[in-house]
C-alpha cells in the first residue's frame, strides 16, 4: 500500500472503486441522497482523496481520520430504491465500501504496474485488512484471507450489485460538471474559458478508464458494456503509463502527502527505496 496508494496511477483506479461501491443499492442510495458530489464534485473528490491517503501515510492521524469518518456517517440513513431501510454504518454496507478497493487494485495493478505475485497479493490483502481496522471495520465483518475474500466478492456481485442511479450518472459522459474551483487563479480562469471544449473529452476519458479498470466480473454484474476494441485501447494506454510513470521524478510520480511521508521515512531510515 505504501508503494501504490500515493502513486499518481492510483488516481486512475479510484473511480472504478467508487463505481463498485455505489453499485450496492444501500451505498448508492446514501450517496444519491446525502453526498455533495453533484454540487461540489472537485471539493468532494479532494476530500475523499485526502482521506484515503491519510489511511496509508497519515501515521497517528490515520486513526483519527477513521474515527472522523465514522462520526460523519452516523446520520446517513434512508430508504434505497427497493424500499429497504439502510444505514451507512451497517457493518455489511460499511465493509463493502472498503472491500471494493482490493479487487480494483488487484485488477488495475495488472494494467498500470505489473501483475501481483501470490505473495504480493496476500500482502496487499493483509494490508487492506489493516486499513479496514483503521476505519473501524471489525475482523468479523471482513473475510480474513484471500481464500475467503473471493467467494464473498462473487456473492456480492451475484446477489447485491446493480446499475444504480449513481452508477449510471457517474459513467454518463453527458453529465454536467463545473470547471475546477481550486488551484492557481490563472489556471482556473483558463480552464473556465476552455471548459466547453475540455469537458466532453475529459468525461469520455473518465468513463472509458472507469469501466476499463473495473474488474470484468464486476462489469458483467453491473451490466457495463465493454468491447474488444475498448480493451485494445486500454492496453495501449496503460502500456504507455507503465513506461512513463516509473521514470518520472518523485515530485511528479507521487501525490504530495505520499511524497512527504516518503521523505520523512527516508530521513528516519524506516523504509527501503521502492521502484
Amino acid at each position: 500500500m505504501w508503494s501504490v496508494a500515493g502513486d499518481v496511477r492510483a488516481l486512475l483506479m479510484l473511480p472504478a472503486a467508487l463505481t463498485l461501491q455505489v453499485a450496492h443499492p444501500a451505498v448508492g442510495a446514501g450517496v444519491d441522497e446525502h453526498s455533495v458530489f453533484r454540487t461540489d464534485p472537485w471539493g468532494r473528490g479532494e476530500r475523499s482523496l485526502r482521506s484515503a491517503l491519510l489511511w496509508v501515510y497519515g501515521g497517528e492521524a490515520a486513526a483519527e481520520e477513521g474515527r472522523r469518518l465514522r462520526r460523519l456517517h452516523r446520520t446517513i440513513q434512508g430508504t434505497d430504491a427497493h424500499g429497504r431501510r439502510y444505514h451507512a454504518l451497517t457493518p455489511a454496507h460499511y465493509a463493502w465500501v472498503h472491500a471494493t478497493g482490493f479487487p480494483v487494485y488487484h485488477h488495475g495493478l495488472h494494467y498500470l504496474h505489473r501483475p501481483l505475485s501470490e505473495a504480493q497479493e496476500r500482502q496487499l490483502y493483509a494490508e487492506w485488512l489493516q486499513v479496514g481496522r483503521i476505519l473501524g471495520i471489525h475482523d468479523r465483518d471482513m473475510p480474513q484471507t484471500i481464500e475467503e475474500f473471493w467467494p464473498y466478492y462473487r456473492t456480492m456481485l451475484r446477489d447485491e450489485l446493480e446499475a444504480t442511479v449513481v452508477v449510471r450518472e457517474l459513467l454518463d459522459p453527458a453529465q454536467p460538471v463545473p470547471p475546477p474551483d481550486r488551484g492557481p487563479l490563472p489556471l482556473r480562469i483558463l480552464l473556465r474559458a476552455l471548459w466547453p471544449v475540455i469537458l466532453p473529452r475529459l468525461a469520455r476519458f473518465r468513463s472509458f478508464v472507469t469501466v476499463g479498470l473495473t474488474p470484468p466480473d464486476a462489469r458483467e454484474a453491473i451490466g457495463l458494456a465493454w468491447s474488444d476494441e475498448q480493451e485494445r485501447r486500454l492496453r495501449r494506454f496503460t502500456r504507455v503509463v507503465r513506461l512513463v510513470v516509473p521514470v518520472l521524478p518523485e515530485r511528479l510520480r507521487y501525490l504530495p502527502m505520499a511524497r512527504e511521508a516518503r521523505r520523512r521515512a527516508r530521513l528516519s531510515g524506516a523504509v527501503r527505496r521502492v521502484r
Side-chain angles (χ1 to χ4, degrees):
M1 290 299 298
W2 179 275
S3 301
V4 301
D7 187 300
V8 294
R9 287 170 284 190
L11 296 176
L12 295 170
M13 294 184 275
L14 290 177
L18 175 59
T19 299
L20 270 188
Q21 292 169 12
V22 298
H24 189 293
V27 181
V31 170
D32 186 27
E33 297 172 6
H34 297 275
S35 175
V36 297
F37 79 98
R38 296 184 182 96
T39 56
D40 183 24
W42 299 103
R44 181 70 181 87
E46 181 181 65
R47 291 188 294 273
S48 295
L49 179 60
R50 181 180 182 277
S51 181
L53 292 173
L54 275 173
W55 309 340
V56 179
Y57 303 104
E60 294 297 322
E64 175 52 37
E65 178 62 11
R67 290 189 288 269
R68 185 192 72 84
L69 288 173
R70 292 189 70 85
R71 291 194 299 269
L72 180 68
H73 286 82
R74 283 175 185 164
T75 59
I76 297 178
Q77 56 186 311
T79 305
D80 70 16
H82 301 283
R84 298 172 301 198
R85 296 290 300 172
Y86 71 84
H87 191 289
L89 291 181
T90 297
H93 303 159
Y94 206 62
W96 173 249
V97 170
H98 176 59
T100 56
F102 177 72
V104 169
Y105 265 114
H106 185 272
H107 178 63
L109 290 173
H110 177 84
Y111 286 87
L112 297 166
H113 288 251
R114 60 184 180 276
L116 296 174
S117 67
E118 182 180 349
Q120 289 172 327
E121 181 180 352
R122 290 184 181 279
Q123 181 181 352
L124 179 63
Y125 190 69
E127 293 177 6
W128 204 253
L129 290 176
Q130 180 60 24
V131 172
R133 295 179 189 113
I134 290 171
L135 298 176
I137 297 171
H138 297 292
D139 284 353
R140 64 176 179 268
D141 297 321
M142 278 285 291
Q144 291 300 291
T145 66
I146 289 287
E147 289 78 11
E148 294 171 342
F149 176 80
W150 292 117
Y152 155 78
Y153 169 70
R154 288 190 290 269
T155 298
M156 293 295 293
L157 296 186
R158 184 188 68 236
D159 296 344
E160 297 288 348
L161 301 198
E162 60 186 48
T164 63
V165 170
V166 180
V167 167
R168 296 194 296 271
E169 190 169 332
L170 289 176
L171 296 176
D172 182 2
Q175 284 294 319
V177 178
D181 58 359
R182 54 210 60 224
L185 180 60
L187 179 61
R188 279 184 282 147
I189 293 173
L190 178 63
L191 286 174
R192 192 177 302 122
L194 297 177
W195 201 239
V197 176
I198 294 173
L199 177 59
R201 293 167 173 79
L202 179 63
R204 287 194 297 271
F205 174 75
R206 179 198 63 197
S207 180
F208 167 72
V209 170
T210 300
V211 178
L213 294 180
T214 298
D217 49 1
R219 286 199 300 255
E220 183 178 356
I222 302 172
L224 305 180
W226 187 251
S227 68
D228 291 342
E229 172 56 29
Q230 286 174 309
E231 179 66 20
R232 287 190 289 271
R233 285 171 52 204
L234 180 68
R235 290 181 181 274
R236 289 195 296 269
F237 168 69
T238 55
R239 190 179 303 121
V240 173
V241 172
R242 285 199 310 272
L243 291 172
V244 171
V245 173
V247 299
L248 293 175
E250 189 171 81
R251 69 180 182 278
L252 298 178
R253 179 178 172 181
Y254 288 97
L255 299 169
M257 190 183 301
R259 196 166 63 241
E260 174 59 20
R262 290 169 65 86
R263 184 191 68 81
R264 292 196 307 267
R266 279 196 300 271
L267 291 175
S268 68
V271 67
R272 67 181 184 276
R273 183 168 181 263
V274 179
R275 291 188 179 276

